[in-house]
Amino acid sequence: MDKAVSLVADLLAFIAMDGCTDDQFDQLALRLFAYQYESNLPFRSFCQRRGATLRNVRTWSDIPAVPIDAFKAMELRSAPASPGERVFMTSGTTGRAARGRHFHPQLDVYDLSMARNFAQRFMLGAERLPMGILFPDEQAMPNSSLAHYLALAKSEFGTPDSRYFLTPEGLDMAGLCAALEDSERSGLPYALLGASFSLVHVMDALRAQGRSFRLPAGSRILDTGGYKGQSRELPLEDFYAELSQLLGVPRTQCINMYGMTELSTQFYDAGNATLPSVKSGPHWIRSRLVEPVTGRSVAPGERGILVHCDLANYNAVTTILTEDVGLWAEGGFLLLGRAEGAAAKGCSLAVEEFVKAAAA
């Protein structure tokens, strides 16, 4: 247990730094790899099957990437279950086996990772802003990482009048419009945060009422998570054009967050005036683009499946093979959608291989 305590302390200090060298990142990534190799049995079996050992993994990019669906197939954890742990679960069918689970013995690392990154990428120097949250709260969705993320945004960066506009009874459009009117009248900037599909519902309601707003300079919008069948699907160009038009927030201030339950760190863009936007993360997460079956990095200029090495993922596994297609761009990567065809098949084969290795 002492090893975990010391690792968490060093991780918190690392996240609190203003940046790091490649060598500093590698040192901490290798310490985490050794800890997870020792404590996380399914992960160790997978590494052994891949020929990856404590001796020959020399840099973060040598750490075998665990396919994201492995979080659905088994418990990936280094610390034993405890009464105080938080479990974030992927959205999906209600059957327990069909939902990915990410176990957090404590939330200190997750919370600092979120807050440091959010302050820099969304708040942009502002200490607090009045916030409207378009997502259920943690009481309604205790296993949702996004519900926790938005609760943190509100408590750490929102003014006291910040509130939720999505309740078990539905979307409180009257309350939201009143808050937006207050912002227009006072000239004080406003922040609207939520799932992309919630914003589509807001836009549809405003159109139906023939209403629009011109929010003051400094106002901003955060969307995340796509539509997931919970609203009409909108091409990105239409989504951001409508959002900007109906709320009077420039597209440079319409920021998209790319995150996932299986990670503890988020990626952001610098607005969506140009599409697709370039996503990037803080110094404690690094990414590769790979061919999913072999795990080898793709040639420069080629599309690949994104692999993220997130040092804040200290209890599960740091390195994850997603099912998202990416392409390198100046300052980060472009997110080009979900894997299809051969790439999707490669991701499925990677999951099969992981499950077989873990059961061996």
Side-chain angles (χ1 to χ4, degrees):
M1 200 55 205
D2 291 344
K3 198 173 279 187
V5 170
S6 133
L7 253 181
V8 165
D10 290 347
L11 249 177
L12 291 169
F14 188 86
I15 290 169
M17 296 182 347
D18 288 328
C20 70
T21 63
D22 291 348
D23 191 47
Q24 285 171 320
F25 187 92
D26 271 336
Q27 279 183 29
L28 191 48
L30 294 177
R31 267 184 71 194
L32 284 160
F33 172 67
Y35 171 65
Q36 290 169 355
Y37 187 91
E38 198 176 283
S39 317
N40 185 335
L41 202 56
F43 177 59
R44 187 188 337 169
S45 303
F46 177 62
C47 290
Q48 288 168 341
R49 186 163 168 137
R50 284 259 165 137
T53 65
L54 298 181
R55 196 165 292 161
N56 63 19
V57 169
R58 296 195 176 93
T59 152
W60 72 268
S61 54
D62 294 336
I63 299 170
V66 171
I68 202 162
D69 268 1
F71 282 78
K72 294 179 183 174
M74 62 197 62
E75 292 196 358
L76 292 171
R77 57 157 83 241
S78 299
S82 64
E85 75 180 0
R86 282 292 290 273
V87 185
F88 292 147
M89 297 171 76
T90 56
S91 53
T93 54
T94 48
R96 186 175 157 164
R99 297 179 68 183
R101 289 166 296 153
H102 190 171
F103 303 94
H104 296 267
Q106 58 198 60
L107 284 171
D108 313 33
V109 173
Y110 183 99
D111 289 358
L112 186 65
S113 171
M114 180 276 171
R116 286 275 296 167
N117 203 12
F118 186 87
Q120 191 177 1
R121 302 299 298 271
F122 185 75
M123 296 304 289
L124 305 166
E127 279 194 26
R128 288 189 179 268
L129 284 168
M131 287 182 179
I133 310 293
L134 298 169
F135 199 74
D137 64 18
E138 287 190 282
Q139 284 65 47
M141 296 185 76
N143 296 116
S144 164
S145 58
L146 181 56
H148 180 68
Y149 166 98
L150 291 168
L152 263 181
K154 179 176 171 289
S155 64
E156 297 296 309
F157 301 99
T159 52
D161 56 347
S162 299
R163 54 166 286 212
Y164 287 85
F165 292 101
L166 200 62
T167 67
E169 287 73 53
L171 180 60
D172 176 8
M173 263 318 280
L176 177 59
C177 287
L180 298 176
E181 280 168 9
D182 278 352
S183 174
E184 273 188 330
R185 199 177 311 119
S186 69
L188 296 172
Y190 195 77
L192 205 51
L193 300 85
S196 315
F197 61 78
S198 303
L199 285 159
V200 173
H201 290 312
V202 168
M203 294 192 289
D204 288 346
L206 288 176
R207 282 223 185 281
Q209 294 172 23
R211 299 193 71 169
S212 64
F213 293 89
R214 308 292 311 160
L215 292 176
S219 296
R220 63 207 70 176
I221 300 171
L222 180 133
D223 83 284
T224 187
Y227 309 115
K228 294 186 174 147
Q230 303 211 41
S231 70
R232 63 191 173 100
E233 296 264 341
L234 269 179
L236 282 185
E237 180 60 44
D238 297 354
F239 176 77
Y240 289 112
E242 274 191 47
L243 206 51
S244 181
Q245 184 187 5
L246 288 168
L247 294 166
V249 174
R251 284 174 59 163
T252 51
Q253 301 301 304
C254 295
I255 293 163
N256 177 262
M257 182 272 277
Y258 163 59
M260 52 191 72
T261 304
E262 299 85 354
L263 291 176
S264 303
T265 300
Q266 298 79 34
F267 297 90
Y268 297 89
D269 53 37
N272 280 275
T274 307
L275 294 171
S277 60
V278 178
K279 300 280 191 289
S280 59
H283 66 264
W284 57 92
I285 192 166
R286 301 227 167 158
S287 305
R288 298 166 58 212
L289 288 176
V290 305
E291 197 282 319
V293 179
T294 62
R296 289 195 197 97
S297 294
V298 299
E302 278 188 22
R303 296 171 174 220
I305 302 295
L306 280 157
V307 163
H308 303 302
C309 177
D310 181 5
L311 301 189
N313 255 21
Y314 73 94
N315 187 51
V317 289
T318 57
T319 308
I320 289 171
L321 172 73
T322 70
E323 293 173 350
D324 297 321
V325 180
L327 181 67
W328 293 126
E330 184 70 37
F333 58 84
L334 305 177
L335 203 53
L336 303 177
R338 303 285 281 176
E340 289 176 6
K345 194 169 183 215
C347 293
S348 305
L349 289 170
V351 178
E352 277 175 41
E353 188 206 347
F354 183 89
V355 173
K356 273 186 198 152

